Amino acid sequence: MRLGIGSWSRTVVAGAVIAGCAVTGVLANTGGSGDTASFERFVAGFWSQARKAGISRETYRAAFRGVRPDPDILERNANQAEFKTPVWTYLDRRVTEERIAAGRAAGREVGDRIAAIEARYGVDRNILLAIWGMESNYGSHKGDKYVIRSLATLAYTGRRQKFGRQQLLAALKILQNGDIPVEYMTGSWAGAMGHTQFIPTTYEAYAVDWTGDGTRDIWRSTSDALASTANYLKRSGWQEGVPWGWEVKLPRGFDYSLVGTGTEKIVADWARLGVKPVRGGNFGAWAPESSIILPAGARGPAFLVTKNFRAILRYNNATAYALAVGHLADRIAGAPQIAARWPRDERPLSHSETQELQRLLNRRGYDTGGIDGRLGPRTLSAVRHVQGRLGLAPDGYPTTALLERLR
C-alpha cells in the first residue's frame, strides 16, 4: 500500500507503548483483545480516509502506536441494556446533596471565570456548573481510556461502527491540530472527552480557546471546557435570561393532547389554561414559548419547559438528562427539591416490552415507526391515541398496565 502503511501497521499496532505518558497503562493492557490481525487490517485500511482528511503519516502512526481492541468496549458494544432506569432513580443518583454542595464549591472556585463566560455567551452559570457536575463530577471523573483506542474499537466492529469511524476521524484531526498531546487524549469508553465530555465532532464544531494560549484544552483547562460548553449551548438556541423551565400544576380536566415538545405556547397562554407554578404565585414577566412535559406520565410531576430545555437536549438527547441538569442547576442556586411525588410503584417498560407494545399498537392500525424498542414520537403518539380510546389519561406514558390491556 502507498506510504508503506500495510507493512507499517503490523509494527505499530503490536509495537511498544509510549513510555512515560498518561495513557501508558491504558495502551499496555491490550493483550488478547479480539482478532488482532483483523484489527490491524482495519487500521491499515482506515489510513486512506485519514490521509484524505489531512492527517499526516506521523500523526497516524503516533495515534495508533500500541493500540489493539479494548475488550471492555467490545463487551459494552455487543450488549444493550434490557431494563431502563426510571427517571426518578436517575435523578436520585445524579442530583445528590453531595453533588449540589460540590457544585456550589466549584462555583466559588471558578467564580470570576464563570461569570465572564456567562457574560460572553449569555448561558446561566449554574447550568454550566450542572453539566460539569453531571459529566465528570467537576473534573474528578473525566475518563481514563485512550480515546483513539476506544473509538477505533467502536469503528472496527459492532453496532456503532458508523459513529466510531466518524468520531475516530475527528479525534485524529484534534491530534493533527495540536490541541492536545496524544498522551493526554483520554476520555470515556465511547470517546467523550474532558471536563464536560465532548465527543470529537462536537469538539471540532464548538470547542473554544478561552485562555488564549492557542489550544482548546478541555482536558486540563476548566476555563476552556466551561466556555466551550457555553458556546455549544448558545449555538444550540440558548436564550439569555430565560429559565430552562418550571415545575407546574395542571388544572383538573387538562387536555393531555397538549403534552409534549411538539406543542408550544407562550407562558401567558399556558397560564390562561390554568397551568400554575407548583409552589404558588405566578410565572412573572417571562414570555418565552414553552411546552408541557410529563416525564413519568400523569401520575408524576409536570414541567413547563422552554427552548433552553431543548438546548440542553442537544447536549444529550434524553429527557431525564436535561431534567437532571435543570434541577441540579436550580438546587445549586438554592431552589428546593421537586415538589410532586414520582410514581415509584410504576416500573418502566423494558426494551423487549416496548417492542411488544409497538407490535400490538401496529396490529391495531397505529404506525409506531418501527419495532425498535425506542419510545420515539410516533410510538408516543400511538400510545396517546390508544389511551384515549381505552378511557385512560392520554399522557403518552406507556405503562405495564397499558401493555396488559393491549395483550
Side-chain angles (χ1 to χ4, degrees):
M1 182 174 275
R2 286 187 291 272
L3 297 183
I5 294 297
S7 59
W8 160 79
S9 67
R10 288 189 292 275
T11 301
V12 171
V13 172
V17 298
I18 306 169
C21 70
V23 296
T24 299
V26 178
L27 294 179
N29 187 23
T30 58
S33 303
D35 185 344
T36 301
S38 176
F39 182 73
E40 289 178 10
R41 288 192 295 273
F42 162 74
V43 173
F46 197 73
W47 160 245
S48 63
Q49 294 183 51
R51 181 179 56 187
K52 290 176 183 177
I55 309 302
S56 70
R57 179 181 179 184
E58 291 71 25
T59 296
Y60 200 76
R61 292 180 68 171
F64 281 100
R65 185 173 294 122
V67 173
R68 294 179 184 171
D70 186 326
D72 177 51
I73 294 174
L74 290 172
E75 181 177 355
R76 287 173 183 252
N77 201 31
N79 297 315
Q80 182 169 346
E82 166 63 6
F83 293 99
K84 301 174 183 178
T85 302
V87 60
W88 51 88
T89 302
Y90 185 87
L91 288 170
D92 289 345
R93 294 172 179 173
R94 300 302 191 280
V95 188
T96 64
E97 293 298 329
E98 292 77 14
R99 184 162 287 172
I100 294 164
R104 291 170 181 167
R108 291 190 293 270
E109 183 177 342
V110 299
D112 291 342
R113 285 174 286 162
I114 203 168
I117 291 168
E118 180 183 54
R120 168 82 64 84
Y121 295 101
V123 178
D124 182 351
R125 70 186 69 186
N126 292 311
I127 290 289
L128 298 177
L129 289 171
I131 289 176
W132 188 17
M134 289 279 291
E135 295 294 344
S136 69
N137 200 23
Y138 310 104
S140 64
H141 294 89
K142 292 179 286 188
D144 59 0
K145 287 186 176 292
Y146 179 41
V147 168
I148 297 296
R149 185 189 184 197
S150 297
L151 294 174
T153 303
L154 291 174
Y156 160 62
T157 187
R159 58 188 175 86
R160 302 185 71 186
Q161 289 183 60
K162 181 178 179 181
F163 169 85
R165 295 181 184 203
Q166 179 187 42
Q167 299 305 322
L168 177 58
L169 199 60
L172 289 168
K173 290 179 181 178
I174 295 170
L175 293 177
Q176 182 69 38
N177 292 336
D179 278 307
I180 191 74
V182 65
E183 60 266 27
Y184 290 105
M185 197 180 205
T186 55
S188 74
W189 73 272
M193 311 175 299
H195 282 273
T196 51
Q197 296 289 280
F198 274 22
I199 59 174
T201 51
T202 300
Y203 175 98
E204 275 199 295
Y206 302 105
V208 298
D209 174 19
W210 178 264
T211 60
D213 65 355
T215 63
R216 300 178 295 172
D217 189 349
I218 63 172
W219 295 264
R220 296 171 294 182
S221 169
T222 56
S223 298
D224 281 3
L226 292 171
S228 297
T229 302
N231 182 50
Y232 183 45
L233 290 174
K234 179 181 180 180
R235 291 174 61 182
S236 296
W238 185 273
Q239 298 177 321
E240 183 174 358
V242 174
W244 67 268
W246 302 264
E247 186 185 0
V248 295
K249 184 177 181 179
L250 303 181
R252 187 182 300 275
F254 180 77
D255 181 1
Y256 285 99
S257 68
L258 299 175
V259 170
T261 53
T263 300
E264 290 187 325
K265 298 178 183 292
I266 62 172
V267 171
D269 286 343
W270 287 116
R272 279 190 282 272
L273 291 174
V275 176
K276 300 178 180 179
V278 74
R279 297 184 186 278
N282 55 53
F283 295 107
W286 303 106
E289 291 185 339
S290 48
S291 304
I292 299 289
I293 63 168
L294 301 174
R299 295 181 58 210
F303 300 90
L304 182 61
V305 298
T306 68
K307 290 185 183 297
N308 288 347
F309 188 83
R310 290 176 181 260
I312 301 170
L313 286 173
R314 283 284 307 277
Y315 206 95
N316 183 325
N317 192 26
T319 297
Y321 175 87
L323 184 59
V325 167
H327 185 47
L328 178 57
D330 288 349
R331 296 298 306 282
I332 290 172
Q337 296 181 3
I338 292 170
R341 293 183 179 181
W342 296 99
R344 294 180 181 271
D345 59 334
E346 183 68 60
R347 178 180 64 77
L349 298 184
S350 68
H351 181 77
S352 58
E353 286 173 330
T354 302
Q355 289 179 312
E356 181 185 1
L357 174 72
Q358 290 172 323
R359 282 192 291 269
L360 293 172
L361 287 169
N362 285 336
R363 289 176 190 171
R364 287 174 175 255
Y366 300 103
D367 179 12
T368 63
I371 311 296
D372 57 5
R374 299 177 184 275
L375 294 171
R378 290 186 182 181
T379 298
L380 295 179
S381 176
V383 168
R384 286 195 183 94
H385 280 93
V386 80
Q387 285 173 327
R389 292 182 62 180
L390 293 173
L392 306 172
D395 56 14
Y397 186 72
T399 62
T400 53
L402 175 63
L403 181 59
E404 287 295 335
R405 289 284 295 271
L406 295 179
R407 284 169 175 165

